[in-house]
Amino acid sequence: MSRPPALPAGPSDALIVGGGAAGLSLAYRLTTTGTTTVTVVEPPDGPTRPPERTWCYWDQGPGDFDEVVTASWSRLRVRGADGSEVTVDPAPLRYRMLRSAPFERWVHSRLARSPGAHLLRATADTVRDVPDGAEVRCTAPDGRTLTLRARHVFDSRPLHALPPARTHLLQHFRGWFVRTDDNRFDPEVADLMDFRVPQPRHGLAFGYVLPLAPDRALVEYTEFSRTPLSTEEYEAALGHYGREILKLGAFTVDAAEQGAIPMTDARFPRRAGSAVFRIGAAGGATRPATGYTFAAVQRQSRAIAAALRDGRTAAVPAPHGRRALAMDAVLLRALDTGRIHGPDFFTTLFRRTPPERLLRFLDGATSPLEEWGIGLRTPVGPMLRTALELPFLPRRTRPAPRSEEGPR
């Protein structure tokens, strides 16, 4: 018989619902302070547990997660639809890749060594405010109902419906982890966008290649558009990209991953009650125009951990500044209406902007003057027209995609 799950002796300072990038990152930050008791509720093994995922970000110097970084790259490349290449060195930044399984094991080992930490495998059913905190009701793998209490609850579960927005696009993708018979990849160069793939009638498409060794890589087909493809359509697009464009020769597929990330100008509430907070993608951590989430999750996690350590009222900070969100809203609308040509837009942006500044811009860390300079390198007329119409557009609600976490 399986042993019943061990429960914390009393209310925790923090209870985290969900063990994805946001939940595990916050758990890690809280255990490093040594002053906060934390309980993490993760789905048990089975259909409710998400498959292994990939997260990417850029950072400089030694990082917190160097022990579990799968690979990193010193140079980034964008290929135009005409085959032209833009290869940049964003030093001192490097592009880094984490796989969810080793990251999960690493954080779990730290939780196991922390006296005030508990890891519970159960399905969270309801989360609600109660006097002096919040309550989470869960279903254990054996069917028992468990009730947990905490001073603060941080909920990272995906939303069932996205908040109202003026633009609803998806970054949807399927990737293969391939192994080639010959050395076909440069392990120092990551292809962020390869626009040599056929372009859809609406939106844009590109290849994405992260080399893991001279003969191994994650090869992905990605679209920015309104609706995802079928698995068969992704497979056909990946086959064409790998065989006809990359010319990989003979290769085998070791594993695959697939997902969809909202690209929207929705306003994501970061509070769901007096003591209940939303974190990660559910709390707006995904950068609308790029789909990158992991770096913003780290900023949120550090701020939450520092507040609890210092005895301050918990709060989830805005993951992106107002200027960044306003610029993203304009770009998304311009892409959705077809006023700008996506492949030309992104290729020109990489060609004409210093790489380190561009990556800081994508992280929301540039000054207004730097952003003005970057804006002048975009199609000014279409972008200005889009900016003028945005305040008059209605916001509408759409269902959330089935998967909100992927290779970003």
Side-chain angles (χ1 to χ4, degrees), residues 72 96 259:
S72 68
R96 302 172 192 253

Side-chain angles (χ1 to χ4, degrees), residues 319-380:
H320 307 289
R322 291 183 179 181
R323 291 198 316 272
L325 294 178
M327 289 184 289
D328 283 4
V330 174
L331 175 58
L332 290 178
R333 176 68 180 174
L335 285 172
D336 193 35
T337 58
R339 290 185 186 133
I340 61 173
H341 184 255
D344 290 346
F345 176 89
F346 286 106
T347 303
T348 300
L349 199 62
F350 270 85
R351 181 176 289 117
R352 299 179 60 186
T353 306
E356 188 268 347
R357 183 184 305 169
L358 180 57
L359 294 189
R360 284 193 295 107
F361 170 72
L362 297 178
D363 255 352
T366 43
S367 67
L369 182 61
E370 289 174 317
E371 291 160 7
W372 176 260
I374 292 171
L376 292 177
R377 294 175 171 88
T378 67
V380 175

Side-chain angles (χ1 to χ4, degrees), residues 34-215:
T35 59
T36 304
T37 57
V38 56
T39 299
V40 180
V41 179
E42 289 187 358
D45 293 335
T48 61
R49 196 165 181 80
E52 189 170 7
R53 291 143 290 163
T54 302
W55 303 309
C56 289
Y57 62 103
W58 41 86
D59 204 353
Q60 63 180 17
D64 293 322
F65 310 125
D66 286 352
E67 291 179 49
V68 285
V69 167
T70 302
S72 68
W73 301 270
S74 61
R75 287 178 288 156
L76 307 175
R77 181 165 55 203
V78 173
R79 297 179 187 262
D82 60 358
S84 60
E85 297 183 10
V86 182
T87 303
V88 300
D89 179 353
L93 300 174
R94 285 183 71 92
Y95 195 59
R96 302 172 192 253
M97 171 195 197
L98 278 174
R99 293 284 284 156
S100 61
F103 182 67
E104 180 182 276
R105 290 191 295 268
W106 185 75
V107 175
H108 284 182
S109 69
R110 289 177 170 267
L111 293 174
R113 297 196 302 267
S114 178
H118 289 82
L119 175 64
L120 177 65
R121 289 293 180 88
T123 302
D125 300 315
T126 61
V127 179
R128 67 186 185 99
D129 282 320
V130 295
D132 300 320
E135 177 185 272
V136 179
R137 291 196 175 184
C138 312
T139 302
D142 61 6
R144 291 184 303 121
T145 299
L146 308 174
T147 301
L148 306 174
R149 289 201 173 191
R151 290 174 52 216
H152 311 92
V153 170
F154 301 94
D155 193 347
S156 68
R157 293 174 299 172
L159 301 175
H160 296 296
L162 298 175
R166 295 165 295 197
T167 304
H168 294 271
L169 291 176
L170 292 176
Q171 179 180 157
H172 53 97
F173 54 85
R174 184 171 175 83
W176 286 342
F177 286 86
V178 303
R179 188 183 302 270
T180 57
D181 285 0
D182 300 313
N183 292 341
R184 300 284 181 173
F185 306 106
D186 182 347
E188 282 299 313
V189 182
D191 281 289
L192 291 187
M193 289 181 161
D194 185 346
F195 293 110
R196 293 176 295 171
V197 300
Q199 294 299 309
R201 294 181 60 185
H202 184 272
L204 62 94
F206 56 89
Y208 179 63
V209 182
L210 301 183
L212 306 176
D215 62 342

